[in-house]
Amino acid sequence: MTNEIFLTKAEQLKPVLHHQAVLLAGNETPMKDGGECIFDFGRHCVGYLDIEFGTEGRHPDAPLLFSIQFAEIREELDYDPEEYHGWISRSWVQSETIHIDDLPCTCRLERRYAFRYVRIRILSVSNNYAVTIRSLKADTVSSADDSQLMPASLNEKDRKLDEVSVRTLHECMQEVFEDGPKRDRRLWLGDLRLEALTDYVTYRNYDLVKRCLYLFAGSTLEGGRLSNNIFLYPQPKCDDQTMFDYTLFFINTLWDYYCASRDEETLRELEPVCTRQALLLKTCFDENHLLDTEKAGNVFIDWNLRLDKQAAGQGVYIYGLSDLVKIRRQLGLPAEEFEREIQLKKQAVLRLYDESKGVFVSGPSRQVSYMSQIWIILAGAVSPRLGASVLEHIEKMPEAEGMVSPYAVHHYIQALIDTGQKEKAYEKMHAYWDGMIEKGADTFWELYDPKDPLASPYGGLIVHSFCHAWSCTPSYFLRTYFRNRES
Ligand code: RAM
């Protein structure tokens, strides 16, 4: 379903992209067939590349054929794209084979790339000439305006973490809040929610959040159900996939947006979209008020493919409805029906508590996972004391299903804070995200499991995004909860 009024609003909020040039000296060594160079821009870039080619020898009498590969982290260049056989398209690997007819020249590549490293390989020239690379220029783009970045009083250790987080967000802020500028370069609801939270304490680009909310509301599936992501071109269109948790996050994202911006007009206009989602998802529960994962369909929660999603999904439902109640109360609309629903679902989820283990279990296999505990805490279904206790117990259960993405760890940090364990949250946050910095990260990654850094739900690292929006939230935590710390 298309709502032209909403899509027009979104279009009017399209941001200006700020350009910045990053120049790099080339390599003047003449290269023949098989010659190659790797260039390091020294920082993560999102943008367009110009390569200035020169020649040596006689006048070029045949085209230059070269290949180019872009990489966000150096290790990507060690993998052969041809050997990737995972379920995500290999076309996400940023590589091209290009002919140049007339030399010397400056070659501009048409696509936008996300990279720090660039490898250029000469595939063929003629016997009469060799090529040199005189210089490279990255024309970088972002809708984040660095002159608007809010200052933060942070100690040195925190400043580094903040810098990499802000850089991650900066790179993902394009025409929308993208999930990652390498892949999928798209607006996803779960990612948007965390990017927006971080934006409110950094760039404060409220209009970009507003635009994204209107894009989701402007293109929905039959019955008004929100999709989990939106394609922008050739015109905005929702994907035909849904995720139970991402659908609900629209409600939280709208409420967070209102709290930051106090834009009541948008709250009023988009409230019906929120209420609609709540009514649609009400049918996904069994007669005991527990989430029926078959009815719920796809529930994301984390990229851990072994996860049972029942308990965590129930937590997200309560979490979403809790903000719906706030939205409706703010607008003077009745909310009792949803308050009752929250109570029923909270009572039901408590039945998943396993006293002998001291943790919540999920699904028919009574699986113990971090995500179940975390979402039941974030839902406000347990007291901070019981919440702290389940998190303590699970730490002593090595068999418990863990977290594999910064997205999941974000929720763990928030759960620690919500259960009164700020210091522990601070330490865990540093331990996890500093781990990526120690491995050379300029921007934070889509996936990072310190216990298994090579693990991939996509069947290969080469398609991973190493600048991924949902991992930018240390800035949100630092600037919201840990300002003015001595060390
Ligand atoms: C990935 C995207 C996105 C995430 C979804 C669930 O494909 O990169 O970040 O929200 O999966």
Side-chain angles (χ1 to χ4, degrees):
M1 275 165 40
T2 304
N3 182 321
E4 290 300 343
I5 297 175
F6 288 175
L7 289 184
T8 306
K9 282 209 172 182
E11 180 61 25
Q12 285 160 353
L13 291 161
K14 201 167 177 172
V16 171
L17 293 182
H18 305 277
H19 289 251
Q20 203 196 344
V22 185
L23 300 170
L24 203 65
N27 181 343
E28 291 287 345
T29 315
M31 289 187 288
K32 295 286 238 178
D33 297 14
E36 73 164 50
C37 295
I38 293 179
F39 297 98
D40 176 2
F41 276 82
R43 51 165 265 201
H44 191 274
C45 300
V46 176
Y48 303 87
L49 186 72
D50 285 341
I51 313 163
E52 191 191 355
F53 284 108
T55 60
E56 291 255 320
R58 291 169 60 193
H59 195 286
D61 56 345
L64 157 67
L65 179 64
F66 73 97
S67 69
I68 183 163
Q69 190 176 341
F70 296 82
E72 295 184 298
I73 64 164
R74 177 66 187 75
E75 288 77 357
E76 279 176 79
L77 296 178
D78 300 337
Y79 292 87
D80 179 356
E82 301 292 325
E83 310 239 305
Y84 172 73
H85 300 294
W87 60 273
I88 273 199
S89 172
R90 202 172 60 206
S91 61
W92 285 115
V93 180
Q94 308 178 104
S95 62
E96 318 286 350
T97 303
I98 297 172
H99 280 88
I100 304 274
D101 287 312
D102 299 306
L103 289 154
C105 75
T106 297
C107 161
R108 162 157 281 222
L109 276 72
E110 287 303 316
R111 282 190 85 212
R112 197 198 74 192
Y113 300 95
F115 61 98
R116 171 172 165 174
Y117 302 92
V118 175
R119 174 166 59 207
I120 298 178
R121 215 176 246 163
I122 305 304
L123 300 178
S124 193
V125 290
S126 78
N127 288 335
N128 288 338
Y129 77 102
V131 279
T132 59
I133 296 172
R134 292 185 182 150
S135 66
L136 296 107
K137 187 176 99 185
D139 171 17
T140 68
V141 285
S142 168
S143 54
D145 180 352
D146 281 322
S147 71
Q148 298 300 311
L149 179 62
M150 308 242 300
S153 50
L154 301 173
N155 67 44
E156 216 177 302
K157 177 174 155 204
D158 292 350
R159 210 171 309 132
K160 179 70 195 162
L161 185 55
D162 182 62
E163 255 170 45
V164 181
S165 306
V166 167
R167 191 78 212 152
T168 307
L169 179 64
H170 175 280
E171 303 292 80
C172 295
M173 286 173 73
Q174 299 294 332
E175 286 188 10
V176 292
F177 282 100
E178 293 183 1
D179 58 337
K182 170 185 168 187
R183 207 216 78 242
D184 306 321
R185 305 166 59 140
R186 255 206 307 283
L187 173 60
W188 284 79
L189 243 170
D191 306 67
L192 170 65
R193 174 174 143 257
L194 300 192
E195 290 176 281
L197 281 177
T198 309
D199 174 63
Y200 303 143
V201 291
T202 54
Y203 292 107
R204 290 203 290 191
N205 189 339
Y206 302 141
D207 275 356
L208 193 61
V209 181
K210 184 172 171 180
R211 164 169 157 81
C212 294
L213 288 167
Y214 276 105
L215 280 168
F216 274 110
S219 178
T220 55
L221 298 161
E222 276 321 299
R225 173 88 187 257
L226 290 165
S227 159
N228 48 22
N229 73 95
I230 299 278
F231 300 102
L232 278 191
Y233 292 103
Q235 50 263 329
K237 177 92 184 77
C238 63
D239 198 348
D240 55 9
Q241 313 277 322
T242 58
M243 287 176 181
F244 178 83
D245 42 348
Y246 276 29
T247 299
L248 287 155
F249 287 145
F250 184 86
I251 304 172
N252 305 101
T253 312
L254 178 63
W255 179 246
D256 293 340
Y257 166 76
Y258 171 73
C259 292
S261 67
R262 295 286 149 190
D263 172 359
E264 191 149 331
E265 194 187 317
T266 299
L267 189 73
R268 190 170 296 283
E269 197 158 38
L270 297 182
E271 170 281 319
V273 180
C274 297
T275 299
R276 180 96 204 111
Q277 308 312 307
L279 295 175
L280 287 168
L281 297 188
K282 207 177 163 184
T283 55
C284 300
F285 293 80
D286 66 18
E287 61 287 359
N288 300 315
H289 295 284
L290 279 173
L291 187 69
D292 178 331
T293 45
E294 296 228 329
K295 289 188 194 151
N298 201 354
V299 187
F300 175 62
I301 307 294
D302 187 18
W303 266 122
N304 177 345
L305 300 174
R306 292 181 302 270
L307 263 194
D308 184 283
K309 318 276 177 82
Q310 183 193 39
Q314 179 117 359
V316 176
Y317 180 73
I318 299 167
Y319 182 79
L321 258 57
S322 305
D323 278 352
L324 179 63
V325 167
K326 292 180 198 154
I327 292 172
R328 294 183 63 92
R329 290 247 174 270
Q330 177 63 34
L331 296 171
L333 299 168
E336 292 76 16
E337 174 192 352
F338 299 103
E339 282 171 333
R340 256 197 317 279
E341 178 72 359
I342 290 171
Q343 278 325 313
L344 286 171
K345 299 311 187 256
K346 278 188 179 173
Q347 281 158 15
V349 88
L350 294 179
R351 290 205 302 276
L352 298 178
Y353 186 65
D354 183 326
E355 284 214 27
S356 65
K357 294 190 170 122
V359 291
F360 288 92
V361 295
S362 179
S365 67
R366 301 181 64 78
Q367 185 190 71
V368 178
S369 74
Y370 272 83
M371 293 322 293
S372 300
Q373 323 307 314
I374 291 165
W375 273 112
I376 290 170
I377 291 168
L378 298 181
V382 290
S383 66
R385 236 179 83 196
L386 181 55
S389 146
V390 297
L391 290 180
E392 215 169 280
H393 276 102
I394 200 163
E395 268 197 272
K396 295 178 202 125
M397 301 173 81
E399 71 284 11
E401 285 298 337
M403 305 164 273
V404 303
S405 66
Y407 172 77
V409 180
H410 164 90
H411 295 112
Y412 176 50
I413 304 298
Q414 189 69 62
L416 286 169
I417 294 172
D418 289 4
T419 51
Q421 306 181 76
K422 252 178 97 175
E423 274 316 297
K424 193 165 179 179
Y426 179 79
E427 277 158 30
K428 294 271 184 194
M429 172 182 68
H430 264 292
Y432 182 75
W433 273 273
D434 287 356
M436 282 183 258
I437 294 180
E438 280 153 25
K439 291 188 169 58
D442 304 295
T443 49
F444 289 126
W445 307 341
E446 172 182 22
L447 292 147
Y448 176 56
D449 182 354
K451 291 196 205 106
D452 190 3
L454 296 182
S456 169
Y458 305 133
L461 276 187
I462 197 163
V463 294
H464 285 199
S465 152
F466 292 97
C467 173
H468 214 68
W470 67 19
S471 65
C472 73
T473 59
S475 287
Y476 160 71
F477 289 121
L478 289 169
R479 290 162 179 254
T480 309
Y481 300 104
F482 303 113
R483 276 170 305 174
N484 301 316
R485 273 180 74 102
E486 301 270 293
S487 63

